[in-house]
Amino acid sequence: MNVRRAAERYPGGDPAAGIESRHAFSFGPHYDPDNLRFGSVIACNEERLAPGAGFDEHPHSHTEIITWVVEGELTHSDSQGHASLVRAGDVQHLSSASGVRHVERNDGTDPLVFVQMWLAPLAPAGEPRYEIVRGIADSTPYAVPEAAATLHVRRLAPAERAVVPDAAYVYVHVVRGELRLSSSVAEGTASAGRPGAPESGELLGPGDAARLTEPEGLELRAATPADVLVWEMNRP
């Protein structure tokens, strides 16, 4: 278990242009050879765009780009002719494959916050593909076979628990709220112990992430209402 705190992320974007970014992995001018990827994940960026701000047309290739809108509305268009308004609770997937150009903007009147995750595909090339899932339900898995990965979106009520998948790699990113990551056995033992005993595991807050290699018997338990993105990855 490798826990990375929100404050450890690399700052980026262009605040003067209304763009504030936080990068969980080596990105752009923030080159860190020890933080290039985890499993299939090569980027996990939290983006905050002021009304009218955005990213002008730019290229991508050989990358699976998954976007989760936290608040506001994201206007997306690309060189394949897709044009979408992505709202909170939607999952957007752009498979850039052999190459695509796109635009991402906040054309609304309210601030926009989204988490964008880049995954390395198992094989390069192929044809670009676009998909959007509207209002994905809690615990509904979203498969990205191009990267041997599955995204689990969990919206947890206080004290609600969620099992961490057993996989080669698991990446947990807290979007909102607080939750505790611990062994389900340890939590069960603690709950049966004396009142007021300290809880085991790691308490994770907004922007915190945990990188897990071959986890077994772990669970998430919400301390407050919490939204969390969990990547289950089984690269060969």
Side-chain angles (χ1 to χ4, degrees):
M1 182 189 301
N2 182 352
V3 173
R4 303 288 182 106
R5 299 299 177 182
E8 298 178 60
R9 295 175 298 179
Y10 313 111
D14 184 355
I19 303 173
E20 296 186 12
S21 306
R22 292 294 182 270
H23 305 294
F25 291 83
S26 181
F27 200 94
H30 300 287
Y31 177 68
D32 182 352
D34 296 323
N35 191 25
L36 298 177
R37 68 186 292 169
F38 180 76
S40 304
V41 180
I42 55 177
C44 181
N45 305 334
E46 180 184 277
E47 307 287 358
R48 296 177 177 268
L49 304 184
F55 301 100
D56 293 332
E57 187 176 82
H58 57 280
H60 290 282
S61 62
H62 313 307
T63 309
E64 305 301 318
I65 303 172
I66 311 296
T67 303
W68 170 262
V69 174
V70 180
E71 59 185 66
E73 296 180 339
L74 170 65
T75 299
H76 170 272
S77 61
D78 63 45
S79 55
Q80 298 292 306
H82 303 112
S84 300
L85 192 62
V86 190
R87 300 179 177 89
D90 296 344
V91 170
Q92 177 184 261
H93 178 193
L94 176 62
S95 181
S96 61
S98 57
V100 68
R101 303 180 68 86
H102 73 157
V103 176
E104 298 164 296
R105 298 195 58 80
N106 178 9
D107 289 333
T109 58
D110 297 320
L112 166 65
V113 181
F114 63 93
V115 179
Q116 188 168 93
M117 298 152 285
W118 298 4
L119 279 68
L122 297 173
E127 293 297 319
R129 184 172 67 86
Y130 180 82
E131 182 177 42
I132 183 168
V133 179
R134 298 292 186 186
I136 192 167
D138 175 48
S139 78
T140 300
Y142 179 78
V144 184
E146 298 89 342
T150 300
L151 175 64
H152 302 269
V153 177
R154 296 307 317 265
R155 305 175 183 91
L156 302 177
E160 186 177 0
R161 300 169 186 258
V163 174
V164 173
D166 293 341
Y169 302 97
V170 175
Y171 185 75
V172 177
H173 176 83
V174 181
V175 178
R176 292 191 283 201
E178 291 187 339
L179 48 82
R180 189 170 296 276
L181 172 62
S182 62
S183 165
S184 57
V185 174
E187 283 296 312
T189 302
S191 63
R194 66 184 186 280
E199 295 185 274
S200 61
E202 292 282 351
L203 185 64
L204 305 177
D208 290 349
R211 306 176 188 189
L212 310 172
T213 303
E214 297 184 348
E216 293 184 3
L218 295 180
E219 68 175 16
L220 300 166
R221 182 165 61 86
T224 68
D227 295 346
V228 59
L229 305 176
V230 180
W231 279 106
E232 174 186 357
M233 298 170 282
N234 290 289
R235 295 188 66 91

